[in-house]
Amino acid sequence: ALGAVLVALSVVPFGRGPLVSGRVTAPWSFRAGTAAATTSNWGSGVVFALVPPALAAVRGLSVLETGMVLVAFSAPFALGGAVSGPAVRRFGGVRTCAGASLVQAAGLAGLGLAGIDAPAGVVVAALAVAGFGNGVVYSAATSLALADVATADAGEASGVLTMWRLLGLTVGVAISSLVVDGLTDRAFGQVEGIDGAVLLAAAVTAAGALVAVRRPVTSAG
């Protein structure tokens, strides 16, 4: 499905040309912001889709208790969104996206290395760090992606950005679920399975930071 979408966007003509104008995808700022948004959503998708059932199964938490633990991710996410604008204005879109992606990756790596069965304080702290980074990069990536897009193309660019965000989340959850199942089937326990998926999410999120800084974007920082 992902391959079909890529072909449709870049090769298959719709009317007089491709579905998405080259004016939208040509700026490096758009590609860098979209990459950061996509990889960041991979990480957040794993937190929201795979961590809750793991908390219930491994730690024996109820639905309410699991939801309370996830507040440790969502509340810092909201705080990160609030400081994203000032951060972009001060440091630029590239540095903000890269730094926030690394912060999110660090939180995910901490959770994966400590384990879902680590002391509750460690789990909460790791989720808080990941949530804050995710909140910053979510808004900053939008600013970076649209920085060099003409006003007339902003709606089209926003639609493509949203599509990639959702692909990052859904593909990330799908692949991470396979990782959990694969590790569990190979004589590892459920703890190792979810920890491996979280570590993979950390690596993918960090990759978004590398893409964002690979080439400078003068207009967005």
Side-chain angles (χ1 to χ4, degrees), residues 127-185:
L127 287 173
V129 172
F132 179 78
N134 189 204
V136 174
V137 73
Y138 193 93
S139 298
T142 301
S143 299
L144 178 59
L146 302 182
D148 296 325
V149 175
T151 302
D153 298 323
E156 186 175 357
S158 179
V160 175
L161 174 63
T162 300
M163 180 201 73
W164 277 105
R165 271 195 166 120
L166 293 176
L167 280 175
L169 189 151
T170 53
V171 173
V173 170
I175 293 177
S176 298
S177 298
L178 293 176
V179 170
V180 173
D181 289 341
L183 291 177
T184 302
D185 290 343

Side-chain angles (χ1 to χ4, degrees), residues 42-116:
W42 180 307
S44 61
V46 169
V47 170
F48 284 120
L50 299 183
V51 170
L55 289 172
V58 175
R59 306 183 69 97
L61 300 184
S62 66
V63 173
L64 177 60
E65 291 169 335
T66 301
M68 293 175 65
V69 171
L70 287 182
V71 171
F73 182 91
S74 57
F77 178 95
L79 177 61
V83 305
S84 177
V88 169
R89 288 190 292 272
R90 179 170 182 178
F91 303 108
V94 172
R95 292 180 180 178
T96 301
C97 277
S101 293
L102 290 177
V103 169
Q104 180 183 356
L108 292 172
L111 178 61
L113 292 173
I116 201 71

